[in-house]
Amino acid sequence: MPSTSRPAPGKLPFAVWVLAAGTFLMGTTEFIIAGLLPEIAADLGVGASHAGLLITAFALGMIVGGPTMALATLRLPQRLTLVLALAVFALGHVVAALSSSFTVVLAARVMTALATGAFWAVGFVIATAAAGPARATRAVGVMMGGLTLANVVGVPIGSFVGQYTGWRGPFWALAVLAGLAAVFVGRFIPATEQRAEISVRAEIRALRQGRLWLALAAAVLIMGGVLATYTYITPLLTDRAGIPAGAVPLVLVVFGLGALGGTAIGGRLGDRHPMATPLTAATVTALALLLLLPLSTGPVSAVTLLFVMALAGFTVNPVVTSLAVRFAGNAPTLTSALTTSAYNTGIAAGSALAGRALDSSLGLTGPALIGAVSATLTLLPLIALALNGTRPARIVAQRTPPTRVRDNTPSRARTRH
């Protein structure tokens, strides 16, 4: 099998695009519940707010399960971990589609979240290793682009299909697609020896890096700011900007396109300007959210600022993810899982605070104000990182006798740059 460590100049290895397809499926399943919530609630005999626990369960599964599964699969070959994650992902959807019990569906969502956490943790490591140091952030951007594309394409299509087939139809489709993705991963992801000297202790030792936690804090705050506003954007658009309810899905597509563009920009510029890019983007995000407070009364200005918020906010993500993996030194797997947990923590916390703000005297502009504050606070860890530098960490996370060193895998090549 050809090595993915030597792609053509300026191009990413094909393995990165395969992994991005996997994140597309997993991003679709994370967000598709929102579009199918009424159908799921009616079919399972629960209220809409109760059915919303399916979203919460997935987020909690990602927050807790991602790092847990990263450690649990540490000694497994990376390709095998990805294939098993996709298999469990598919099985979770099959179980949910076959069940008429809300409790079983809830448990299946948690199982699916655990598989997603394992896939992302290992997938980010493989993608950055295969791309090499010069294109690491771009590789992360492509993988995260799969997640963003899920909002633009996967979720709307899944919701549309669900209107005609019932909510189980998209679940069956995701199960089949995950099976196909497992075949592609087994074919195109290079087999690498899992190093026996890797241990849980080594991965945890890498977490002593203060810069790592600054990058994770930036991930929590920027995602919390953007999603605090996005979660409750519909009432702002309809009741304040005067946009018809039927046009809201089109506006959400505009948000998705902005997020997709931001992810691509962050991936392109992050390698060359690892601090200037997120600092500028976070500043623009905060300004867009602040301007949304007085200017959300007009449909054109509201939609324009929503696009700018998504474009700038999602520019930060691939950069801070790449920095977090870099700061982990030779133990990046747990760190990759923690970045996923950080984003989901931001989503959960930002949405919760925005909901309280919406019910307060702030009203419809409350979520945007929470978002602006969170985006502004993102500048604090980013400035601290700029002052401390972004050189890779030199952590002795594993000790390999010289006679056993075999520098023939992409991951080894990456960890010594």
Side-chain angles (χ1 to χ4, degrees), residues 234-281:
T234 299
L236 182 75
L237 294 174
T238 56
D239 299 344
R240 186 171 169 84
I243 295 175
V248 170
L250 296 177
V251 178
L252 298 184
V253 170
V254 171
F255 173 88
L257 291 173
L260 186 63
T263 303
I265 292 172
R268 285 282 184 176
L269 299 181
D271 286 317
R272 287 176 288 174
H273 309 288
M275 289 316 311
T277 300
L279 280 168
T280 303

Side-chain angles (χ1 to χ4, degrees), residues 51-123:
L53 292 175
L54 296 175
I55 300 174
T56 305
F58 195 95
L60 292 176
M62 289 287 289
I63 292 169
V64 178
T68 302
M69 294 305 296
L71 293 177
T73 60
L74 199 57
R75 295 297 185 91
L76 293 177
Q78 293 175 326
R79 184 171 66 181
L80 176 61
T81 299
L82 294 178
V83 172
L84 288 176
L86 287 166
V88 173
F89 180 89
L91 179 61
H93 285 82
V94 170
V95 169
L98 290 173
S99 178
S100 59
S101 167
F102 177 79
T103 302
V104 173
V105 176
L106 188 70
R109 287 286 290 174
V110 174
M111 180 172 69
T112 304
L114 294 176
T116 300
F119 185 93
W120 282 13
V122 176

Side-chain angles (χ1 to χ4, degrees), residues 33 69 103 119 179 187 222 245 281 303 390 408:
I33 294 294
M69 294 305 296
T103 302
F119 185 93
R187 171 66 180 85
I222 194 64
V303 173
T390 61
N408 59 354

Side-chain angles (χ1 to χ4, degrees), residues 4-5 7 12-13 126-137 139 271 410 413-414 417:
T4 59
S5 60
L12 291 173
I126 293 178
T128 54
R135 292 186 295 270
T137 304
D271 286 317
R414 185 189 64 77
H417 75 275

Side-chain angles (χ1 to χ4, degrees), residues 54-334:
L54 296 175
I55 300 174
T56 305
F58 195 95
L60 292 176
M62 289 287 289
I63 292 169
V64 178
T68 302
M69 294 305 296
L71 293 177
T73 60
L74 199 57
R75 295 297 185 91
L76 293 177
Q78 293 175 326
R79 184 171 66 181
L80 176 61
T81 299
L82 294 178
V83 172
L84 288 176
L86 287 166
V88 173
F89 180 89
L91 179 61
H93 285 82
V94 170
V95 169
L98 290 173
S99 178
S100 59
S101 167
F102 177 79
T103 302
V104 173
V105 176
L106 188 70
R109 287 286 290 174
V110 174
M111 180 172 69
T112 304
L114 294 176
T116 300
F119 185 93
W120 282 13
V122 176
F124 278 130
V125 174
I126 293 178
T128 54
R135 292 186 295 270
T137 304
R138 185 181 169 198
V140 171
V142 168
M143 277 197 67
M144 298 189 77
L147 174 63
T148 309
L149 191 63
N151 282 303
V152 182
V153 178
V155 172
I157 290 178
S159 299
F160 179 78
V161 171
Q163 304 302 319
Y164 292 92
T165 65
W167 67 271
R168 301 175 194 273
F171 273 61
W172 282 113
L174 286 167
V176 172
L177 291 173
L180 292 175
V183 173
F184 271 80
V185 166
R187 171 66 180 85
F188 293 105
I189 300 299
T192 57
E193 297 178 9
Q194 189 65 10
R195 294 157 291 186
E197 62 273 15
I198 291 181
S199 67
V200 173
R201 182 180 300 176
E203 290 280 339
I204 293 176
R205 188 183 304 130
L207 302 184
R208 296 176 182 175
Q209 284 286 310
R211 295 181 303 167
L212 166 61
W213 293 102
L214 289 172
L216 293 177
V220 171
L221 291 167
I222 194 64
M223 188 55 66
V226 173
L227 267 295
T229 307
Y230 177 73
T231 301
Y232 298 100
I233 197 63
T234 299
L236 182 75
L237 294 174
T238 56
D239 299 344
R240 186 171 169 84
I243 295 175
V248 170
L250 296 177
V251 178
L252 298 184
V253 170
V254 171
F255 173 88
L257 291 173
L260 186 63
T263 303
I265 292 172
R268 285 282 184 176
L269 299 181
D271 286 317
R272 287 176 288 174
H273 309 288
M275 289 316 311
T277 300
L279 280 168
T280 303
T283 302
V284 173
T285 305
L287 289 174
L289 286 166
L290 285 173
L291 290 173
L292 194 60
L293 300 177
L295 299 181
S296 56
T297 54
V300 175
S301 57
V303 173
T304 301
L305 289 170
L306 183 66
F307 175 81
V308 173
M309 176 195 73
L311 184 73
F314 278 81
T315 296
V316 179
N317 295 348
V319 186
V320 294
T321 299
S322 180
L323 287 175
V325 173
R326 182 186 304 181
F327 296 149
N330 294 336
T333 306
L334 178 58

